Amino acid sequence: RHVMNDLSRYLANNPVPIAGETFQRAQLAAGWLARAQDVMPDGGVSYGYFPFRAAAGWRESYPETTGYIAPTLFDYADASGELEYHDRAIRAVRFVAGCQMASGAIYGGRVRKQLQGAVPVAFNTGMALLGFSAAYRRTGDPFFRECERKAAEFLVGDIDAAGHFRSHGPFVHANTIKTYSVLCAWPVYLAGEDCDEPAYRAAAVRVCDAALQQQLENGWFRNNCLSAKGDAPLLHTVGYTLQGLLEVGIQSGEHRHVAAAQRAMDHLLSFCSNGFLHGRWFSDWQPAALSSCLTGAAQVAVVAYRLSAHTGEPRYRQAADSVVNYLKALQLTGAARVAEPEIVGAIGGSFPLVGAYMRNGFPSWATKFFLDGLLWQDALRQSREHTQALPNQQTASNRELPLNVTL
């Protein structure tokens, strides 16, 4: 029933963006992520809720995304004061640590009962590394720093002579270059700070420079998709690439990486105005899909918020607000008559749900990215209210913001 209702909304083009309710929506999203963790027996976060694929709907814990969901749980704990979410984040990271191979890598796919036969994947390792770094910075526990060091050592050793990661695993198309893996450069850079290893930071910058070699003059990136559809990459992987470059650029002071992210983002801004972002993009920045990849839309919003905070340019915040407000209209609440409890608080992989990305499902990372966007929106709103009340004091670009939120 919900699938048909969702498709009707898409065909009628009638979602009405919601300008307010930001923190209430964040509470719903966080509550759904908590449910996705609670239904798992191991402390990990479920791959997601897919009622047409699994008997119970919920799929097994997913080490890769559990790794980068943890920083979001930390950020939500800070914003809400609900310390339960700090504990949830720690539990999630400990689960991911249990999935770490002797090499320091994290394997591909959902959770395994044993490591024998597991295949190391650079991208999954990078996402776990985000969790290890966040946990170490929050707790100071040397256990997490050691997990971080092992993962960073694997990643640095996985970089080829051209600056690209090599270990992509069996679940993506076998291109030798996966530009979106530049997102891993961010946690490698963080590990360089946490472990006092300049070589890690230098490696992260080198990976970003390699990604720049894949960028066209108009900002679009080659070899930037999970599948063979390299001529029209997913917005999801576009978002990965932009955040990796942006975060390393800001933290390293390498402006060329920030400029590369801006060059791409500037082509997406005009499409953000009504909130709907198409799921794939041709090299001339024209839409290549009818449906929206909600995961990627939320990622783009987070990158735009980060650019707004870094540059002080309001156009990025305005674009991000438009996307996040549209996503709020697609989030399921308890007031929806067709919403079963398992999907209250979540957003789907696509709009409509029958769209191409994660069809008819609610992947946990879609709601995670949405929550990241909500936390940014709420933090920037509070910052603006603060500066209006206290002129000549802190500005949005230097107040404490949820910089741990990830794509």
Side-chain angles (χ1 to χ4, degrees), residues 365-380:
W365 55 98
T367 298
K368 167 262 188 305
F369 300 145
F370 176 48
L371 179 53
D372 289 341
L374 291 167
L375 292 174
W376 266 106
Q377 186 178 69
D378 188 64
L380 289 173

Side-chain angles (χ1 to χ4, degrees), residues 271 278-282 284-290:
F271 293 93
H278 295 268
R280 289 184 179 272
W281 297 83
F282 289 122
D284 59 357
W285 290 109
Q286 289 303 301
L290 294 176

Side-chain angles (χ1 to χ4, degrees), residues 60-212:
E60 301 94 330
S61 296
Y62 196 25
E64 172 201 332
T65 55
T66 298
Y68 64 40
I69 285 171
T72 301
L73 298 178
F74 279 128
D75 283 334
Y76 180 74
D78 290 344
S80 67
E82 297 179 52
L83 297 182
E84 165 200 348
Y85 285 88
H86 178 279
D87 297 338
R88 287 185 175 280
I90 295 297
R91 191 157 76 248
V93 178
R94 289 196 179 279
F95 159 77
V96 176
C99 301
Q100 191 169 33
M101 304 169 71
S103 64
I106 300 296
Y107 54 79
R110 294 187 290 279
V111 66
R112 301 171 62 97
K113 293 183 179 179
Q114 56 186 13
L115 293 179
Q116 184 178 0
V119 178
V121 177
F123 190 83
N124 298 39
T125 306
M127 301 309 96
L129 184 50
L130 281 169
F132 295 150
S133 177
Y136 173 66
R137 292 181 177 211
R138 298 302 178 112
T139 67
D141 189 333
F143 170 76
F144 295 124
R145 184 171 62 178
E146 180 59 17
C147 292
E148 190 178 4
R149 184 194 63 76
K150 288 167 61 179
E153 284 289 332
F154 170 80
L155 286 169
V156 171
D158 196 60
I159 300 169
D160 67 18
H164 301 289
F165 294 106
R166 295 174 293 186
S167 299
H168 304 308
F171 298 102
V172 296
H173 187 262
N175 291 351
T176 56
I177 297 174
K178 296 291 184 186
T179 304
Y180 62 83
S181 290
V182 71
L183 181 58
C184 297
W186 177 23
V188 169
Y189 194 92
L190 296 177
E193 295 179 334
D194 295 343
C195 302
D196 193 23
E197 285 286 353
Y200 296 171
R201 298 195 293 273
V205 170
R206 187 158 66 91
V207 169
C208 288
D209 284 338
L212 295 191

Side-chain angles (χ1 to χ4, degrees), residues 18-19 47 63 125 159 164 182 257 263 282 304-305 321 338 344 355:
I18 299 170
Y47 184 90
T125 306
I159 300 169
H164 301 289
V182 71
H257 302 149
R263 192 155 52 247
F282 289 122
Y305 280 133
D321 280 344
V338 297
V344 170

Side-chain angles (χ1 to χ4, degrees), residues 171-175 178 223-234 280:
F171 298 102
V172 296
H173 187 262
N175 291 351
K178 296 291 184 186
N223 298 308
N224 199 28
C225 198
L226 300 169
S227 69
K229 298 179 181 179
D231 61 334
L234 275 168
R280 289 184 179 272

Side-chain angles (χ1 to χ4, degrees), residues 304-343:
Y305 280 133
R306 182 69 159 124
L307 277 169
S308 175
H310 179 65
T311 66
E313 294 188 41
R315 61 193 180 111
Y316 293 118
R317 177 185 53 77
Q318 291 161 1
D321 280 344
S322 294
V323 173
V324 169
N325 292 344
Y326 188 89
L327 293 176
K328 290 178 198 173
L330 301 178
Q331 184 189 34
L332 296 162
T333 70
R337 290 178 297 170
V338 297
E340 53 190 292
E342 289 81 1
I343 55 179

